[in-house]
Amino acid sequence: MLMRTDPFREIDRLAEQFFGTTARPAMMHLDAYRDGDYFYAAFDLPGVDPDTIDCTVERNVLTVRAERRRPAGDRVELVAAERPMGTFTRQLFLGDTLDADKLEAGYDNGVLTLRIPVAERAKPRRVAIKANGDGHRQINA
């Protein structure tokens, strides 16, 4: 039999009130960064079946939903239940500078990674300057 002595249980109980419980899981952790012409978002989802992950984009809102389930069956006897279970949801607001139509997603080693290209209109570009023969710049409308 598994026995547990935890002098910090009261602190854990208070933390669950603020950060989530098994009935209301805490939000999934995220790292977001830009690397060159791509924006990346990496979500920690250890122990989540990839078939339960749903990623949608509506307008400029990216929504990620995932579900972690407990083992079930007639012979399963729950001895300890400390890992958060249930449905996790996270939303990100994407700026107009990202091309959400070309979003790519991959799931590896418990991490969901989204790769979103920076939109062409948001990339720095060189502006050509025309000069007339007398050294004064002139704008032709």
Side-chain angles (χ1 to χ4, degrees):
M1 183 75 156
L2 178 65
M3 300 294 286
R4 181 175 81 135
T5 303
D6 189 354
F8 300 105
R9 183 65 193 142
E10 188 63 21
I11 294 171
D12 289 343
R13 188 187 64 74
L14 290 171
E16 285 176 353
Q17 288 178 345
F18 291 104
F19 302 117
T21 65
T22 56
R24 185 185 54 83
M27 80 172 130
M28 57 187 86
H29 297 284
L30 158 80
D31 283 342
Y33 56 94
R34 181 175 173 172
D35 184 6
D37 290 339
Y38 292 93
F39 175 82
Y40 293 88
F43 298 87
D44 277 349
L45 296 171
V48 171
D49 181 351
D51 293 335
T52 69
I53 300 172
D54 185 37
C55 182
T56 60
V57 176
E58 184 176 343
R59 298 186 189 235
N60 282 3
V61 179
L62 168 72
T63 303
V64 176
R65 282 189 178 80
E67 184 177 359
R68 184 183 301 128
R69 300 177 184 135
R70 294 206 186 282
D74 294 338
R75 300 180 64 189
V76 174
E77 178 183 346
L78 190 61
V79 177
E82 295 180 352
R83 296 174 49 216
M85 299 290 160
T87 302
F88 301 82
T89 304
R90 184 82 186 254
Q91 288 187 322
L92 298 177
F93 294 95
L94 305 177
D96 292 332
T97 59
L98 299 176
D99 190 352
D101 292 335
K102 296 181 182 173
L103 185 144
E104 298 172 354
Y107 184 71
D108 188 39
N109 291 324
V111 178
L112 172 67
T113 303
L114 306 179
R115 185 174 96 152
I116 311 165
V118 174
E120 288 298 321
R121 66 183 175 277
K123 293 179 184 175
R125 63 188 178 284
R126 187 161 190 76
V127 176
I129 300 172
K130 297 180 184 178
N132 59 13
D134 62 5
H136 292 91
R137 292 190 173 114
Q138 176 180 339
I139 298 176
N140 297 324

